[in-house]
Amino acid sequence: MRQQVNKSTSQQVNKITRRFLMAFAVVMISLSIKAQEPQVIDRVVAVVGQNIILQSDIEAQYLQYRLQGGIKGSASSIRCEILEDLMFRKLMLNQAEMDSIVVTDEQVESEVDHLIRYFISQLGSQENLEKYYKKTMPEIKEELHRMKKEQMLEQQVQQGMMANVEVTPAEVRQCYNEMHKDSVPMVNAKYEIAQLVKKPPVTLDEKLEVKDRLYKMRKRILDGERFSTLALLYSEDPGSAKNGGELGFHGRGEFAPEFEAAAFNLRDGEISEVVETEFGFHIIQMIERRDDLVNVRHILLTVKVSLDALQTAYNELDSIAQLIHNDSITFDEAVRKYSDEADRINGGMLVNPNTGGTLFDASELDQQVSVTVNNMKVGEISEPVAMKTSDNKDACRILYLKKKTLPHKANLKEDYTLFRDIALQKKREEVINKWIVNKSQKAYIKVIDDFKDCDFKFDWNFQ
């Protein structure tokens, strides 16, 4: 269902940084480790101001690193890197306390509630969450509240630290010129692609036919058949059909508006009328309500575009392509005038969800897009090809290969943003190092002997 009805999940995931996702995972693993029977005696590894770092803190992140396939470096060097990151975070936390930076309980609780809903949706129920981590819900919330508050304080300190850190074109050129030729990275083939999309309309008769099918299923359920069985057999939501249509616990704001309005008005066991959303038509059954969370199951049927409508869209795209070939209109003008997709406002440029930019590695391209543009030349447009829209509906499009670079050693002309990012990262590290040197002279920092031989990146003033 998160693929079909949750109207904003994919957009939210694209906006969350890699560091924030890592923090989610570490929270989960930290809770899991602490829930297990103790096998070793935990110990304090480092002290930063009034904050301590435990061996278990390091092990939680080390385990996450391994689970994600991290294989670079020895176990000891990886643990040293983790320790230094934790010391930096604790030093920021210490500075937040000295600067009297405030994060309100309301702000933290809002984030914690969101995390709890996420965890419950993954594990199926509050009972499963408590059972998995061998903690009561108040204990889990307390642990998450502490972790989230610290993270929010650290973020405020780091934002202030980096607020004015920028690089000039001259600094980017200097970074490139000073880089040893053996250190200049290889760059994979890159693509920049735009699309012009036509979405064939569906007729009223086609919608009524789908609604009638759902009303017949609803009657079968009211007559005694199991909702979950019909969902398994007929629902077109691949994410939930295999679970009998069950979605898990979700709060308000996580579903399409029409679906949410119907779901939150149901009583236990009650089945909704047919509900239309941007994804299709649904019937919904309430499984359980818990405070501001509901667990429902649904059956989704989508309205299929007729072959005649698809052919009409195909022919229209073919005519538009001819206009572009004849220089009667540019591709960008055609997108703004004819495309049915919201991306027409930016010329139909495909956006890489991993970077937020418009450049794609070959491995990042959708398979159908990759096959289409593989033999195209820069400036060419494709024949009309079939596609699925973001809401899983049939449509057609033509693709325009705006830019393509071959695999090459990075250079300043073609890969300026790469070297800008390298220069910016180097400058940020310099700012962090100066900040650490300054603040560590004023804060008590101690590390146990086992970690004093670590080759730390920054200059720490240990006691």
Side-chain angles (χ1 to χ4, degrees), residues 247-315:
L247 301 176
F249 283 94
H250 289 275
R252 292 188 182 276
E254 298 185 54
F255 294 130
E258 305 87 350
F259 189 98
E260 177 180 300
F264 276 84
N265 281 324
L266 293 174
R267 297 184 296 272
D268 286 356
E270 187 178 5
I271 301 170
S272 72
E273 299 293 328
V274 174
V275 178
E276 181 179 6
T277 71
E278 60 183 302
F279 304 101
F281 292 90
H282 319 250
I283 53 174
I284 310 163
Q285 183 182 45
M286 173 65 74
I287 300 175
E288 182 182 359
R289 180 189 296 271
R290 184 172 295 158
D291 297 327
D292 59 345
L293 301 176
V294 295
N295 183 14
V296 297
R297 58 171 60 95
H298 82 131
I299 297 173
L300 168 69
L301 295 182
T302 59
V303 183
K304 305 298 186 297
V305 176
S306 69
L307 291 178
D308 287 343
L310 278 171
Q311 185 61 51
T312 299
Y314 182 96
N315 293 340

Side-chain angles (χ1 to χ4, degrees), residues 403-422:
K403 180 179 179 180
K404 178 181 180 181
T405 63
L406 297 175
H408 63 279
K409 180 161 282 194
N411 62 77
L412 202 56
K413 181 179 179 180
E414 294 180 282
D415 309 293
Y416 178 85
T417 56
L418 171 63
F419 292 104
R420 182 200 63 195
D421 292 344
I422 293 173

Side-chain angles (χ1 to χ4, degrees), residues 188-191 352 354 360-367 370:
N188 294 330
K190 299 280 187 180
Y191 297 83
N352 187 332
N354 298 319
F360 292 78
D361 280 344
S363 61
E364 295 175 314
L365 289 173
D366 173 87
Q367 184 177 7
S370 179

